[in-house]
Amino acid sequence: MLNGFFQNSGDSYANIDARPVIGDLNELAEWDVFCRRTGWAGGAAIHIDTGINRLGLTVTEAQGIVPRIVAGDHGITLVMSHLACAETLNHPLNAKQLAAFREIASLFSGVPASLSNSSGVFSAPPSSST
């Protein structure tokens, strides 16, 4: 569910086995409360803003939750971001975002990572896609 994890929505997600994309620290706190209350272990994605400047945790916020990931039992099953200018093949922001994403995603050891959108998948050279 790309639109986040909102207060009192956890049971609805669990009922349909949906995994939320968490985009801010308030959603992460709500996720933690839901998981502790219910024991639900369906997983969630963390969205990190690497340059689109409207969606996701800041890189600093993401760095702040790395100790939680290292500690285990965190319920985070994906680290993701979104390209701001994927429609433009050689836009300099694409390379900047890719570098930022690779750096932050490397801190989330053992958690799969995904960067892109449809345009990014179709425009990125195979050797540089993440």
Side-chain angles (χ1 to χ4, degrees):
M1 302 294 291
L2 292 173
N3 289 330
F5 190 77
F6 305 105
Q7 190 171 18
N8 300 317
S9 65
D11 292 330
S12 297
Y13 281 79
N15 287 339
I16 61 171
D17 197 25
R19 296 177 185 198
V21 175
I22 296 171
D24 67 42
L25 295 177
N26 291 327
E27 291 176 10
L28 184 59
E30 183 68 23
W31 164 256
D32 287 341
V33 168
F34 169 71
C35 289
R36 279 193 306 271
R37 179 179 59 82
T38 65
W40 195 65
I46 292 290
H47 187 182
I48 302 169
D49 182 358
T50 58
I52 201 166
N53 296 322
R54 64 178 169 93
L55 299 170
L57 280 72
T58 67
V59 170
T60 301
E61 289 170 336
Q63 289 168 331
I65 66 170
V66 168
R68 162 198 178 129
I69 302 303
V70 171
D73 194 28
H74 48 73
I76 304 304
T77 56
L78 180 70
V79 176
M80 64 171 285
S81 192
H82 185 90
L83 294 170
C85 301
E87 294 80 12
T88 307
L89 179 60
N90 293 314
H91 196 287
L93 186 54
N94 292 337
K96 183 178 176 182
Q97 283 190 265
L98 177 59
F101 184 70
R102 283 183 171 160
E103 183 175 335
I104 191 66
S106 72
L107 301 177
F108 290 79
S109 180
V111 179
S114 174
L115 171 69
S116 207
N117 56 10
S118 297
S119 295
V121 170
F122 294 123
S123 66
S127 63
S128 67
S129 61
T130 296

